Amino acid sequence: MEPTAATNLAILPSVDEILKEPTGMRLCDELGREVVVRLVREIIGAFREELHDNISTKAGNRESIRNAIVERLALVAWRDQRSGVRRVINATGVIVHTNLGRAPLSQEAVKAMVAAAGYSSIEFDIQAGERGPRGQRAVSMLRRVTGAEDALIVNNCAAAAMLVLSVFASGREVLVSRGELVEIGGDFRIPDVLLRSGAILKEVGTTNRTHLRDYENAISDQTAMVLKVHPSNYRITGFTTVPSTSEIASLARKHEIVFYEDAGSGAIIGTAKMRDLGEPVIRDVIAQGADLVSFSCDKLLGGPQAGVVVGRAELVSRLRRDPMYRALRLDKVLTAALEATLLSYQNGTAADTIPVLRMLGENTDGIRRRSDALVSRLRHGSELKVILAESDSALGGGSAPNVPIKTVVIALRHSRLSEAEFAARLRLNDQPIIARIEGGQVLIDLRTVEPDEEAAIIEALNKLASPADAEDTAAA
Ligand SMILES: *Cc1c(COP(=O)(O)O)cnc(C)c1O
């Protein structure tokens, strides 16, 4: 008998049948029944259309179709689960990788987060038994490590900038050098932030050269503030000039206007190496007379996502009293992480305990040794061609764009996979491995890989090195 649309469609299972399969039951537990029912309906619907189209070619049998539907359900669910926030191995050599969560936290910060996850003394004075100031210890440590009179902690540096501008400059003019009207990371654009805060942007100077007199000539009774922005991911070189922070500070003081510097990346330690990165050290900016300075906590500082404003006590307390602060204040768990991170600076262990600083400080000899050891554990005579090569790591996070950080990379080629396919297989590993693609090769830079993550890289590479397994993962 010729199969008809009716006989063909009758072999489709019901939604209930699929939900009673072990995979269906497991996914109902994991993802919620409602979601799984919807997925199964969609998948059965897609099969129904395929059967319509293939009406006279293959009818298939009931069982094979049911298995195919279960398999597709598992795949869709697997993709959904993989789309969440998962731990990944950062083998790119970009230390503050914005897409991979910027700064990895120190062990101390992780412990502090876990401890603060329940009830915590975020706004409670344990000795007095009454309400206390929020995140008091982090504030005290920020004062100590930056030399500022007071500090305020919010969700990120963008929130800090928005708060400062709207409290001190709404409806009034803010002077900004034309060379500092920058875009940082796509959605933080200085002119847009000013506009949204209600401040009026008054551009001074030119793109490459801005003099102190340009600021001075622009000051009027409408002027609320001078804003200096660290250009972060961008450098103007050649015939350039900008006044120093201390020159702008004395000008602002003379005219009684607020001088606010958005420093971006919170460099706390003022070693020569740090200064070579071209990132302003917060203590210096305060010492040079800025009234307020803002910075991110998850860039060079190496802490959780947070933003800080430090500066003159009287100005910081006005920020603290503003209703907008209530909408921007930092969560308890992140405050605990910040506190633990700052403690590492205060007790002098930061260079060893804070991953960003440790990665930045690791020398090429050490990375070469680790890379050699890793390569020696790879399966030989396989599909992989491996060499060590000199390359550059990067600080990332929109910091120090022109400062190459020498490194050694493991450069890999696969005999049958293109570099893009090879990198994709590494991403699809159980513990996703994110590598760099360059010059037809996949590069693994151990600078950003923790030693205890190396075993997972070796296992993944060895799996992809043997012909049969490479095919297996292809199917997934
Ligand atoms: C990174 C950066 C910001 C934004 O900081 P977030 O903490 O990501 O909000 C703002 N200003 C400057 C100068 C920056 O470098």
Side-chain angles (χ1 to χ4, degrees), residues 91 367-368 371-372 374-375 378 380 383-391 407-415 419 422 426 435-446 457 461:
I367 296 173
R368 183 183 294 279
S371 304
D372 264 330
L374 191 150
V375 168
L378 294 180
H380 281 284
E383 308 255 334
L384 291 183
K385 192 164 156 268
V386 188
I387 54 163
L388 294 193
E390 288 181 359
S391 181
T407 195
V408 171
V409 292
I410 302 169
L412 299 138
R413 277 179 213 273
H414 197 281
S415 62
E419 66 273 25
F422 187 19
L426 292 173
R436 199 145 43 102
I437 299 176
E438 210 177 276
Q441 295 172 311
V442 168
L443 306 185
I444 289 184
D445 184 347
L446 293 185
I457 296 181
L461 289 175

Side-chain angles (χ1 to χ4, degrees), residues 102 156-158 184 188 229-230 232 262-265 296 298-299 306 397-398:
R102 288 199 181 157
N156 47 41
C157 190
I184 293 160
F188 186 85
V229 182
H230 182 62
S232 297
D262 180 14
S265 197
S296 281
D298 55 354
K299 295 182 181 170

Side-chain angles (χ1 to χ4, degrees), residues 328-339:
L328 303 176
R329 70 183 191 188
L330 192 67
D331 153 77
K332 64 180 176 192
V333 172
L334 299 175
T335 304
L338 180 59
E339 198 181 294

Side-chain angles (χ1 to χ4, degrees), residues 184-238:
I184 293 160
D187 38 18
F188 186 85
R189 312 179 85 200
I190 294 299
D192 297 346
V193 173
L194 264 106
L195 186 68
R196 194 66 186 84
S197 73
I200 300 157
L201 169 61
K202 180 125 186 206
E203 302 179 21
V204 304
T206 63
T207 304
N208 57 329
R209 290 171 73 82
T210 298
H211 303 277
L212 193 64
R213 63 172 184 275
D214 294 324
Y215 286 102
E216 184 141 36
N217 291 342
I219 294 176
S220 72
D221 56 2
Q222 282 309 299
T223 313
M225 177 186 284
V226 175
L227 165 62
K228 185 171 161 67
V229 182
H230 182 62
S232 297
N233 49 8
Y234 172 74
R235 291 291 183 271
I236 299 174
T237 56

Side-chain angles (χ1 to χ4, degrees), residues 304-427:
Q305 182 193 304
V308 164
V309 187
V310 292
R312 279 173 41 207
E314 168 216 338
L315 300 180
V316 173
S317 83
R318 270 180 67 190
L319 295 173
R320 193 174 280 117
R321 289 195 306 268
D322 193 272
M324 197 191 265
Y325 164 64
R326 176 61 181 75
L328 303 176
R329 70 183 191 188
L330 192 67
D331 153 77
K332 64 180 176 192
V333 172
L334 299 175
T335 304
L338 180 59
E339 198 181 294
T341 306
L342 291 168
L343 186 59
S344 292
Y345 283 99
Q346 188 176 285
N347 68 21
T349 60
D352 299 319
T353 55
I354 295 180
V356 166
L357 299 183
R358 197 173 64 224
M359 289 170 180
L360 201 54
E362 187 163 3
N363 60 30
T364 37
D365 289 345
I367 296 173
R368 183 183 294 279
R369 229 175 295 120
R370 286 173 62 198
S371 304
D372 264 330
L374 191 150
V375 168
S376 73
R377 291 172 60 195
L378 294 180
R379 206 177 283 167
H380 281 284
S382 64
E383 308 255 334
L384 291 183
K385 192 164 156 268
V386 188
I387 54 163
L388 294 193
E390 288 181 359
S391 181
D392 292 326
S393 310
L395 179 54
S399 313
N402 294 339
V403 186
I405 302 166
K406 291 262 157 281
T407 195
V408 171
V409 292
I410 302 169
L412 299 138
R413 277 179 213 273
H414 197 281
S415 62
R416 279 172 306 99
L417 300 173
S418 73
E419 66 273 25
E421 287 167 328
F422 187 19
R425 299 290 168 77
L426 292 173
R427 291 199 305 274

